[in-house]
Amino acid sequence: MFGAVHFGIVAACVVLFVPMGLAGWHLSRNKVLFFSGILFIALFVGVHITPYFTSVSSFVNTFPSTTSSLPVSYEQDDRDVCVSVLHNVIYEFKSGNMDGPLNDSSVHEDLSWYWDKSGPFVGCNFQKLSKVDASDLLNGTWVVVAGDSQARLFVVSLLDLLLGPEKMEAIRGDLFKRHSNYQTVIHSIGLKLDFLWAPYAKNLTDIVMEFMGNKRYPDVLVIGAGLWDMLRITNSTEYGSSLQHLNTYLVSSLPVSPEYSTTYPVSGSVSVPTPHLFWLGSPTLINRMLNTEEKKVKMTDALYAAYEREMHKSKLLRQSAGPAFLLDIKSLSQKCGDQCTEDGMHYKAAVYETAVHIMLNALIIESQQKL
Ligand SMILES: *[C@@H]1O[C@H](CO)[C@@H](O)[C@H](O)[C@H]1NC(C)=O
Ligand SMILES: *[C@@H]1O[C@H](CO)[C@@H](O)[C@H](O)[C@H]1NC(C)=O
Ligand SMILES: *[C@@H]1O[C@H](CO)[C@@H](O)[C@H](O)[C@H]1NC(C)=O
Ligand SMILES: *[C@@H]1O[C@H](CO)[C@@H](O)[C@H](O)[C@H]1NC(C)=O
């Protein structure tokens, strides 16, 4: 801790040198003594009140001890740059396997991804976290993922990482019960994970209002709704106003400070960045591949673009100084391409796995930003 000793030295210097400086400005000895007295009292009060704020600063560090043991560390200057290139990934099919039958597991195995290390951003030490590191990072946290089928696939990838594929298979059935919530606790790391089925933007608002009512917020909140809304409501204006509502609630109710919501380092104010908020974007839609006539007719490129515009207009995202970090499924799915999807809207696991690792790396960068 930047502790009492440092503070004491600084205080002593101030008490000693400020009045001496003032004396240099030809103040009378009485005035110097007067200023010394005032300064002394101010510092005394400061020193004795500071301990009450240290509890605030430790509260700010949601992931305090864990990040130090992770194999990644960032210089302050690199962080903004690194956050901005987190989505620079490359998908690669192992050659020769494209002709075979495209069943799910074969594609999963043959498809790999990695961060693009070319370009000026070699310094960003992004890492695919191992099960151990991810468990370490999320140890003792409460994670809530709310949204439509994309959010469910994101949960699958997260659990895949934390539990391993075998244990994941065992619970896949429960997780994929249609239109239902799913809750689990991974006791070994004290992680509580909730998936909340929230297909419409309005459902997300309700969830946030409930947190507000209970005054209990998860440590990590991942939300995203769009596709279902496009298909069932098909009205970008309504979507936009729902998102604006949502943003208003988030900004006013969740303890996310506005300063913190930019990617720039904060100085001079205490920010309370809980929960860590992520927006799970909608994937690139490939209209000709959509699997029903209704979807093809309703979920057009024009409607998608209109939803995107409303999304950005709502100012939910960090890019527009909002509270949520975008997990850009659109760009990831586009990079992966149409060989990564069979129905033009749900993509191969690699895409959601990428999003999980982007989130974890963002958490690492952010928790170091606070230390
Ligand atoms: C999928 O492909 C893999 C490898 O090509 C094969 O071992 C597996 O049996 C296939 N699964 C199904 C369900 O066809
Ligand atoms: C989780 O944290 C607890 C207490 O901080 C610690 O005892 C435990 O070993 C951690 N578990 C993992 C898997 O990191
Ligand atoms: C989501 O919102 C719709 C429309 O308001 C509502 O009918 C539905 O019950 C909500 N679903 C959940 C899971 O809250
Ligand atoms: C979309 O919703 C708005 C507000 O509810 C309504 O005024 C508008 O007519 C709707 N647009 C379409 C195309 O249904």
Side-chain angles (χ1 to χ4, degrees):
M1 199 178 95
F2 173 79
V5 176
H6 290 91
F7 192 78
I9 292 170
V10 171
C13 289
V14 171
V15 169
L16 193 62
F17 291 117
V18 170
M20 279 172 70
L22 291 174
W25 287 344
H26 311 292
L27 292 178
S28 72
R29 214 172 68 181
N30 280 349
K31 277 187 183 153
V32 170
L33 283 173
F34 175 70
F35 279 119
S36 287
I38 296 281
L39 273 166
F40 186 79
I41 290 166
L43 287 164
F44 181 86
V45 169
V47 164
H48 286 81
I49 284 187
T50 305
Y52 297 101
F53 286 105
T54 55
S55 61
V56 173
S57 62
S58 65
F59 171 68
V60 168
N61 297 327
T62 319
F63 306 103
S65 57
T66 51
T67 48
S68 57
S69 63
L70 289 165
V72 195
S73 83
Y74 287 93
E75 298 298 324
Q76 181 74 40
D77 291 347
D78 293 341
R79 285 176 196 151
D80 290 340
V81 179
C82 289
V83 163
S84 72
V85 297
L86 259 171
H87 286 84
N88 287 8
V89 300
I90 294 173
Y91 290 94
E92 203 169 73
F93 283 95
K94 288 205 191 86
S95 55
N97 289 321
M98 287 301 292
D99 311 329
L102 273 183
N103 75 33
D104 199 53
S105 65
S106 71
V107 171
H108 189 263
E109 281 159 21
D110 294 343
L111 176 60
S112 65
W113 65 274
Y114 51 90
W115 274 286
D116 185 4
K117 292 274 163 75
S118 66
F121 310 115
V122 190
C124 303
N125 296 315
F126 302 142
Q127 306 234 350
K128 290 189 195 180
L129 266 63
S130 64
K131 179 180 171 181
V132 171
D133 285 340
S135 302
D136 201 6
L137 182 67
L138 295 178
N139 190 351
T141 58
W142 177 26
V143 178
V144 173
V145 183
D148 54 22
S149 53
Q150 301 293 316
R152 209 187 286 268
L153 290 167
F154 180 84
V155 171
V156 171
S157 283
L158 181 58
L159 287 176
D160 227 0
L161 176 63
L162 293 171
L163 295 174
E166 272 162 37
K167 279 195 189 154
M168 180 56 220
E169 271 321 303
I171 61 169
R172 187 178 276 269
D174 288 336
L175 183 52
F176 275 91
K177 279 196 189 118
R178 236 173 118 69
H179 307 172
S180 64
N181 297 345
Y182 176 79
Q183 300 192 319
T184 188
V185 175
I186 304 177
H187 290 285
S188 56
I189 55 170
L191 173 85
K192 186 166 178 290
L193 175 72
D194 292 345
F195 168 74
L196 302 173
W197 170 245
Y200 304 121
K202 186 181 167 302
N203 298 132
L204 298 176
T205 312
D206 291 344
I207 287 168
V208 168
M209 286 174 74
E210 199 177 318
F211 289 140
M212 188 168 67
N214 297 340
K215 291 209 162 32
R216 274 196 69 227
Y217 308 106
D219 301 297
V220 179
L221 178 58
V222 184
I223 53 177
L227 295 183
W228 192 271
D229 205 296
M230 273 179 221
L231 184 61
R232 300 298 149 108
I233 301 184
T234 325
N235 185 325
S236 61
T237 319
E238 267 181 39
Y239 181 69
S241 67
S242 291
L243 290 185
Q244 280 170 24
H245 254 103
L246 174 62
N247 189 34
T248 309
Y249 276 115
L250 282 170
V251 170
S252 68
S253 75
L254 294 184
V256 176
S257 85
E259 292 93 337
Y260 186 75
S261 66
T262 71
T263 53
Y264 302 101
V266 186
S267 56
S269 61
V270 176
S271 58
V272 186
T274 49
H276 293 267
L277 186 64
F278 293 88
W279 177 264
L280 192 67
S282 295
T284 302
L285 290 181
I286 304 174
N287 191 274
R288 69 189 152 77
M289 294 176 82
L290 297 176
N291 60 8
T292 68
E293 215 35 55
E294 187 193 10
K295 285 180 187 164
K296 281 183 185 165
V297 171
K298 287 187 173 169
M299 303 172 89
T300 59
D301 292 351
L303 185 70
Y304 185 91
Y307 268 63
E308 282 281 296
R309 273 197 304 279
E310 292 295 337
M311 171 73 244
H312 288 284
K313 243 171 69 185
S314 74
K315 301 212 186 307
L316 252 173
L317 302 181
R318 298 264 180 103
Q319 285 98 309
S320 36
F325 182 104
L326 175 66
L327 297 173
D328 195 348
I329 302 289
K330 180 188 176 193
S331 112
L332 296 177
S333 54
Q334 195 170 31
K335 283 176 181 143
C336 203
D338 56 8
Q339 70 267 51
C340 295
T341 176
E342 274 156 24
D343 63 4
M345 61 194 284
H346 300 105
Y347 282 76
K348 295 296 173 199
V351 169
Y352 306 98
E353 186 191 301
T354 316
V356 164
H357 284 281
I358 287 174
M359 179 186 82
L360 296 174
N361 277 270
L363 285 173
I364 291 173
I365 294 172
E366 296 196 339
S367 28
Q368 289 183 352
Q369 196 157 345
K370 288 177 285 146
L371 291 178

